[in-house]
């Protein structure tokens, strides 16, 4: 069973930075594209960013492009999201996910970590 | 970016009712779509992948249909544990997009 566990959430100040981490276990982490998704309070799910298995390609939603950076360490089975120039509308629960819509029994999500941006 | 338009945004239904939720894509996404269930404080749960395939362990009262630009999630005989929010997600390309969500409430 795939297990994903996020950490690093908390209170950040407008204009400040936070770094989220996601630890993966019990699967071939280095074989999969990994993704961050967020849900702001009272809002729907929003795709944030994805990174290919070898880190060759990264993709970002327009809302975070130029401010957030996704990265991974396959040797440590870890995914990261560096969040800079934080804004109040970045306040959300952030989920680390292996999204698999082509093959069954692979899709997996962490429980999420709350990021609150406030002065 | 591919836009996903989901409807309705909310609905009220009773236990035993049949419920249908729709997503429309702004361009042809073949069958590159999944449906998720979301409950407060929990991780999203995949129900349907590849537009029509039931994820392992998901009750058979859930089903998905469609291809191209028009997709539906159907819940036959709604159960108490099905009151939740539902989202479609397209992964036709790496710039994935969710629908706006549908909140299924108890009538």
């Amino acid at each position: 069973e795939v297990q994903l566990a996020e950490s690093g959430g908390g209170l950040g100040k407008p204009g400040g930075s936070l770094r989220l981490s996601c630890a993966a276990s019990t699967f071939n982490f280095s074989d999969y594209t990994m993704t961050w998704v967020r849900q702001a309070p009272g809002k729907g799910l929003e795709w944030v960013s994805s990174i290919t298995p070898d880190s060759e390609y990264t993709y970002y939603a327009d809302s975070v492009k130029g401010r957030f950076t996704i990265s991974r360490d396959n040797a440590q089975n870890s995914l990261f999201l560096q969040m800079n120039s934080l804004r109040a509308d970045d306040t959300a629960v952030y989920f680390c996910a292996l999204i698999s819509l082509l093959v069954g029994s692979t899709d997996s999500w962490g429980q999420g970590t709350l990021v609150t941006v406030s002065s | 970016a591919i836009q996903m338009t989901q409807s309705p945004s909310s609905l009220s239904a009773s236990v035993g009712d049949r419920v249908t939720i729709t997503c429309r894509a702004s361009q042809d996404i073949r069958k590159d779509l999944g449906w998720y269930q979301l409950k407060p404080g929990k991780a999203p749960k995949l129900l349907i992948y590849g537009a029509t395939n039931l994820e392992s362990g998901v009750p058979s009262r859930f089903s998905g249909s469609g291809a191209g630009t028009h997709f539906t999630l159907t819940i036959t005989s709604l159960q108490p544990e099905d009151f939740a929010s539902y989202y479609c997600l397209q992964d036709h390309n790496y710039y994935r997009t969710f629908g706006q969500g549908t909140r299924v409430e108890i009538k």
Side-chain angles (χ1 to χ4, degrees):
Chain A
E1 178 185 349
V2 174
Q3 293 185 334
L4 299 169
E6 304 91 342
S7 61
L11 179 64
K13 293 189 182 299
S17 299
L18 282 175
R19 188 182 196 224
L20 305 184
S21 299
C22 174
S25 60
T26 66
F27 74 107
N28 296 326
F29 178 79
S30 60
D31 288 343
Y32 295 96
T33 290
M34 295 298 297
T35 294
W36 289 98
V37 172
R38 68 184 180 183
Q39 184 182 29
K43 303 292 187 180
L45 296 172
E46 179 186 16
W47 170 80
V48 173
S49 182
S50 294
I51 185 168
T52 53
D54 57 1
S55 302
E56 182 173 5
Y57 297 103
T58 58
Y59 304 89
Y60 299 93
D62 288 344
S63 57
V64 307
K65 193 176 300 181
R67 301 187 299 120
F68 290 9
T69 302
I70 191 171
S71 62
R72 66 192 296 164
D73 182 340
N74 287 342
Q76 298 295 322
N77 286 353
S78 295
L79 177 71
F80 306 100
L81 186 68
Q82 178 67 42
M83 309 165 63
N84 297 334
S85 301
L86 286 168
R87 309 188 308 216
D89 61 1
D90 294 321
T91 295
V93 174
Y94 286 74
F95 295 99
C96 164
L98 188 175
I99 294 177
S100 176
L101 302 188
L102 294 178
V103 177
S105 302
T106 306
D107 193 86
S108 299
W109 295 62
Q111 290 300 305
T113 187
L114 176 63
V115 170
T116 302
V117 181
S118 174
S119 55
Chain B
I2 299 172
Q3 306 299 318
M4 301 301 297
T5 303
Q6 185 172 340
S7 61
S9 57
S10 65
L11 63 91
S12 295
S14 301
V15 172
D17 283 354
R18 178 187 180 95
V19 167
T20 299
I21 299 168
T22 298
C23 266
R24 290 187 181 274
S26 60
Q27 67 183 69
D28 185 348
I29 60 169
R30 299 184 303 189
K31 299 183 78 173
D32 300 331
L33 181 122
W35 289 97
Y36 288 88
Q37 179 190 67
L38 184 60
K39 294 183 177 181
K42 297 287 190 71
K45 176 185 177 182
L46 182 65
L47 304 173
I48 301 291
Y49 67 94
T52 59
N53 301 295
L54 190 68
E55 176 74 332
S56 176
V58 174
S60 59
R61 62 181 179 273
F62 292 92
S63 65
S65 64
T69 62
H70 186 207
F71 303 87
T72 60
L73 173 71
T74 300
I75 312 171
T76 58
S77 189
L78 199 67
Q79 296 302 299
E81 60 269 29
D82 301 337
F83 291 96
S85 294
Y86 294 85
Y87 294 85
C88 63
L89 170 66
Q90 69 78 19
D91 74 338
H92 186 63
N93 59 38
Y94 280 106
Y95 296 94
R96 295 173 167 129
T97 42
F98 288 92
Q100 297 90 336
T102 298
R103 185 173 179 179
V104 177
E105 300 173 321
I106 301 173
K107 183 183 287 185

